[in-house]
Amino acid sequence: MEKREIIQEFVDKRVETVGVFGYGSGVFKQDSYNDKDKPQIDLIFLVDDLVTWHFLNMEFNPNDYTYSGRAFIRENLTEKVKGFNGITYLTHVQDGNNMFKYGVMEVDDFTRDLLTWKKFYVAGRFQKPTLEIKSTNLINQRINSNREAALKIACLFCEEVSTGKELLSKLCGLSYIGDTRMLFAENPHKVENIVNGSYNQLSQMYFNDRSYVKFLPDGKVVINHQEILNNINELPRDLVNYLAEHDTNLSDIDNVRKNIKSYLTKLNRWESLAQTVHGLRINGVAKSVSYALEKIKKGMKR
């Protein structure tokens, strides 16, 4: 069965959604996996109301939840169930011969975060290849805006004459800058594995000439930093505000890079920690520890 069919079959057993996307190593090949590996399939569900969706889904799919997770959702207000990043993940959900992890997020929070970068946790995931199972025009517009912003930031981190692979590595690495999991629970070559394994998909997503970047047939990339900086207000709102608040000198590319890195480090570090804590509340200790051990095991792969 094709991966899309496997995912669709899983989705059809869950409560109705506004959007569904697959991502990660269980959906797209990464260099660190061989043909015998069968990584967990990662999904994101977009819904209108998070708590209402979970209440309905717990009726039809109680085994998706731990006892502590069901209690937490029933006993808490929407904001606590959302957690800091606005998304609740259910891990180690068995369906036939496949293992799933799926995050549930309100579509309004999703579209806002991708446009503003107020939160980067989900925005970073959608800068890499995703498999669309279900979507809307608005969702797709926000995904494209997020990816365009990521390309501009990656261009700023590259030299004015670079290579396509270097540019993609900078882009795919944005969501890992400052991420605490990279210290112990992720493969240190994760970005390289993503770029190598999904190079064709990434090329299709990003290798089209814009006024500020040209992709040459020999694999070189020519970047116009000044044009990006002249239109700095086109970047996500919260990043632009941060640069202004920290008196960023737009004529000094090193200063621009330093402040962008500082912004992303702050977001990624806090959001990765917050999501780990939220995962304990939703999935309980046993599932969370099991998931963490798998991540550490993957992180030890070279």
Side-chain angles (χ1 to χ4, degrees), residues 195-208:
V195 173
N196 290 339
S198 299
Y199 190 84
N200 290 337
Q201 292 98 328
L202 287 163
S203 299
Q204 291 171 10
M205 289 165 59
Y206 292 109
F207 284 6
N208 299 299

Side-chain angles (χ1 to χ4, degrees), residues 93-123:
V93 179
Q94 188 77 39
D95 188 75
N97 295 322
N98 297 287
M99 188 73 75
F100 289 83
K101 179 185 79 174
Y102 68 97
V104 188
M105 187 175 194
E106 289 185 2
V107 67
D108 287 347
D109 291 339
F110 175 84
T111 54
R112 180 202 64 222
D113 289 354
L114 264 63
L115 188 65
T116 66
W117 287 10
K118 180 180 178 66
K119 305 283 177 62
F120 200 65
Y121 191 83
V122 174

Side-chain angles (χ1 to χ4, degrees), residues 3-4 7 19-30 41-46 89 110 114 121-135 139-144 146-147 171-172 175 194 198-206:
K3 190 62 60 82
R4 179 182 289 276
I7 294 172
V20 178
F21 295 85
Y23 70 97
S25 57
V27 178
F28 297 99
K29 178 178 168 54
Q30 290 184 15
I41 297 172
D42 292 335
L43 304 175
I44 288 180
F45 287 10
L46 302 178
Y89 272 100
F110 175 84
L114 264 63
Y121 191 83
V122 174
R125 279 146 183 76
F126 278 79
Q127 291 159 7
K128 306 172 191 72
T130 56
L131 178 64
E132 179 186 317
I133 304 299
K134 183 179 182 180
S135 191
I139 290 170
N140 289 338
Q141 287 171 13
R142 293 294 186 264
I143 290 171
N144 289 334
N146 173 53
R147 288 175 175 170
L171 192 153
C172 290
S175 61
I194 291 171
S198 299
Y199 190 84
N200 290 337
Q201 292 98 328
L202 287 163
S203 299
Q204 291 171 10
M205 289 165 59
Y206 292 109

Side-chain angles (χ1 to χ4, degrees), residues 18 57 60 77 81 84 105 139 157 194 251 254 278 300:
V18 179
N57 195 55
F60 293 103
L77 300 174
V81 176
F84 183 80
M105 187 175 194
I139 290 170
F157 279 136
I194 291 171
S251 63
D254 288 331
H278 194 55
M300 294 173 65

Side-chain angles (χ1 to χ4, degrees), residues 20-40:
V20 178
F21 295 85
Y23 70 97
S25 57
V27 178
F28 297 99
K29 178 178 168 54
Q30 290 184 15
D31 265 12
S32 57
Y33 293 93
N34 58 47
D35 292 337
K36 293 181 180 179
D37 289 325
K38 196 173 184 181
Q40 185 170 244

